[in-house]
Amino acid sequence: MCLCNGTRLIIDELKINIVVVVIVTETNIGCKVYIPRLNLVPSYRMTPFAFQTHQFPLTVCFDIIVNKSHGQSLS
């Protein structure tokens, strides 16, 4: 099972440290995938303090059906 650029997912469950998604494209349609929250620590060490962030490696997108978009203006 491969999650790469262009793979479309539907969020099934949102939890504190994990997102459960269902694949809706490719050959693995209907498979559940668990995406963990990542701890990111910057490699730039010139700051006088250390910090890290916790985030999910996801990008949000929106979809609209062509028939429903007639007459709409989107930026």
Side-chain angles (χ1 to χ4, degrees), residues 22-25 28-32:
V22 177
I23 299 175
V24 294
T25 56
N28 297 314
I29 294 174
C31 292
K32 282 193 175 183

Side-chain angles (χ1 to χ4, degrees), residues 3-74:
L3 292 179
C4 56
N5 291 338
T7 302
R8 294 183 184 148
L9 310 167
I10 294 177
I11 295 175
D12 192 35
E13 294 179 47
L14 289 174
K15 298 187 178 187
I16 293 175
N17 291 322
I18 209 159
V19 176
V20 181
V21 296
V22 177
I23 299 175
V24 294
T25 56
E26 311 286 329
T27 58
N28 297 314
I29 294 174
C31 292
K32 282 193 175 183
V33 178
Y34 301 94
I35 300 175
R37 187 168 72 165
L38 300 177
N39 295 328
L40 302 174
V41 180
S43 59
Y44 184 70
R45 298 288 181 192
M46 297 300 285
T47 58
F49 52 88
F51 65 93
Q52 66 179 358
T53 182
H54 312 285
Q55 62 186 3
F56 292 104
L58 300 173
T59 301
V60 178
C61 68
F62 297 95
D63 190 19
I64 190 166
I65 298 170
V66 175
N67 296 335
K68 300 283 184 178
S69 66
H70 182 71
Q72 288 186 355
S73 296
L74 302 173

